[in-house]
Amino acid sequence: MASESEVSNITYEEGHIENSRGMKLFTCKWVPENQDPKALIFICHGYAMECSITMKSTATRLAKAGFAIYGIDYEGHGKSDGLQGFVNNFDDVVNDCSDHFTSICEKKENRGKLRYLMGESMGGAMVLMVHQKKPDYWDGAVLVAPMCKIADDMRPHPVVINILTKLCKIIPTWKIIPTNDVIDLAFKVPEVREAVRANPYCYKGRPRLKTGYELLRVSSAIEQKLEEVSLPFLVLHGGDDRVTDKSVSKLLYDVASSKDKTFKLYPGMWHGLLYGEPPENIDIVFKDIIGWLQERAALGNSRLEKELKAENDIFSKK
């Protein structure tokens, strides 16, 4: 059952879906009132985070700019089912997101609308993997400090990784990965760190063994396939990010096969670009994001035009 609340010309709704493994997953959306959305944006949150609280300010800004925003808490995250902070198989979570996002796009009222993916940190990896499943389906992506490679500050020693990889088959849910506190490294503003720590839906413990293994596996796999990224994208990274590797975001920009690609590096900014920086920095980041989205939305839906042309070609040949 969905609950609704209205904030400054934006309607917010939340609900639940059931995935293929019988788990109940929390979903939410922010839709501008009294106007047809310029496009649909599907947000993917970071590791240990969730959508409805930590990404509320992001979604609200985008909805005020005229976009419809849809989010989902992954298994083991936020208000969804599963052991908190535990991801047994990242591919399953990719399927959950892809299935949910696609089902929204395929609704009758949404079929002619542009579809954008937006992810921060681990959510950036999620976006790239959702794109891999259906390379021609999405109209673009906004990648905020994407987890294409975990930064050296966050990676255990290779010998430790080797031991932990073997152990995760025996004790997958144990919280014994030695790593720096991601909250301290990610968010520059102390009040934001306190808010994340006070949020009961954010996971605060050490990474669970299998989760850590999956994040390493996925980021390594993405790093090997950067040239296969083909959709239009904007990739953003803080110059002082110590959680994900900014050099790999630049490499993504350099080698991706996308014809429309943009890279923005913000000197002095940290990992949490969407809500972890001082307000003046966040304003700069959102000006770039909203400007990029509006510019492409104004060009119209070239994907839809191609689809309609293909359908007409088939029809005319009959």
Side-chain angles (χ1 to χ4, degrees):
M1 185 172 163
S3 70
E4 297 189 21
S5 65
E6 296 179 11
V7 186
S8 58
N9 300 320
I10 298 165
T11 299
Y12 171 72
E13 295 181 20
E14 52 187 48
H16 289 87
I17 59 166
E18 190 173 298
N19 68 11
S20 60
R21 301 175 303 290
M23 303 174 96
K24 210 156 110 177
L25 303 179
F26 173 84
T27 64
C28 52
K29 68 176 181 177
W30 294 258
V31 181
E33 293 175 0
N34 307 319
Q35 71 174 95
D36 198 34
K38 295 174 184 175
L40 314 177
I41 301 177
F42 299 91
I43 54 174
C44 299
H45 64 75
Y47 164 71
M49 298 288 120
E50 48 76 55
C51 279
S52 62
I53 300 169
T54 54
M55 296 197 80
K56 180 182 177 182
S57 61
T58 295
T60 303
R61 279 181 185 251
L62 295 171
K64 281 180 178 174
F67 299 96
I69 317 303
Y70 297 84
I72 184 171
D73 288 353
Y74 318 137
E75 83 169 66
H77 285 74
K79 300 172 186 174
S80 289
D81 283 353
L83 179 64
Q84 200 177 40
F86 182 59
V87 174
N88 186 53
N89 187 326
F90 201 83
D91 298 333
D92 287 341
V93 186
V94 172
N95 290 335
D96 292 341
C97 290
S98 182
D99 291 348
H100 177 55
F101 297 163
T102 303
S103 72
I104 293 165
C105 294
E106 295 303 330
K107 287 183 177 178
K108 191 176 179 183
E109 67 270 23
N110 289 335
R111 283 196 187 152
K113 292 186 172 62
L114 290 158
R115 316 154 178 163
Y116 292 99
L117 298 163
M118 178 174 178
E120 62 160 356
S121 195
M122 185 183 87
M126 180 66 68
V127 164
L128 292 174
M129 292 185 74
V130 168
H131 161 54
Q132 273 179 14
K133 282 182 70 68
K134 295 184 174 184
D136 300 322
Y137 192 81
W138 304 100
D139 296 304
V142 177
L143 302 160
V144 184
M147 189 192 74
C148 300
K149 182 180 179 182
I150 297 168
D152 291 339
D153 279 358
M154 292 298 298
R155 291 170 73 95
H157 189 278
V159 174
V160 176
I161 291 174
N162 189 33
I163 294 165
L164 295 177
T165 300
K166 290 169 182 168
L167 282 175
C168 78
K169 293 171 184 170
I170 307 162
I171 45 173
T173 64
W174 281 28
K175 302 183 278 186
I176 59 171
I177 295 180
T179 186
N180 292 318
D181 187 322
V182 70
I183 295 172
D184 281 343
L185 290 181
F187 307 113
K188 185 186 288 182
V189 176
E191 291 79 9
V192 174
R193 291 182 218 159
E194 288 169 22
V196 171
R197 288 201 170 94
N199 184 344
Y201 299 108
C202 291
Y203 175 71
K204 267 81 72 175
R206 280 186 167 186
R208 298 182 188 276
L209 271 177
K210 189 69 190 297
T211 306
Y213 170 80
E214 285 295 296
L215 297 188
L216 279 171
R217 176 183 72 81
V218 164
S219 57
S220 297
I222 288 171
E223 193 181 356
Q224 301 305 314
K225 294 184 175 180
L226 296 178
E227 69 281 355
E228 293 179 18
V229 176
S230 57
L231 83 175
F233 68 83
L234 167 66
V235 59
L236 316 165
H237 225 111
D240 289 349
D241 192 331
R242 294 168 61 198
V243 178
T244 58
D245 195 325
K246 63 180 180 286
S247 68
V248 185
S249 283
K250 177 60 166 63
L251 184 63
L252 167 65
Y253 168 74
D254 289 337
V255 305
S257 58
S258 309
K259 292 183 177 67
D260 174 4
K261 50 187 178 178
T262 306
F263 175 60
K264 295 263 186 184
L265 185 69
Y266 301 101
M269 293 198 204
W270 290 19
H271 182 67
L273 295 174
L274 299 178
Y275 47 87
E277 289 283 321
E280 61 273 17
N281 287 354
I282 292 173
D283 287 344
I284 291 167
V285 171
F286 274 98
K287 187 174 180 230
D288 289 339
I289 291 171
I290 291 169
W292 188 89
L293 288 165
Q294 288 181 331
E295 192 179 320
R296 275 140 196 85
L299 292 172
N301 196 330
S302 59
R303 171 189 47 79
L304 185 66
E305 288 167 15
K306 284 177 195 168
E307 288 171 4
L308 290 171
K309 184 179 182 303
E311 283 176 18
N312 289 336
D313 288 349
I314 291 166
F315 184 73
S316 62
K317 286 174 185 174
K318 286 183 178 177

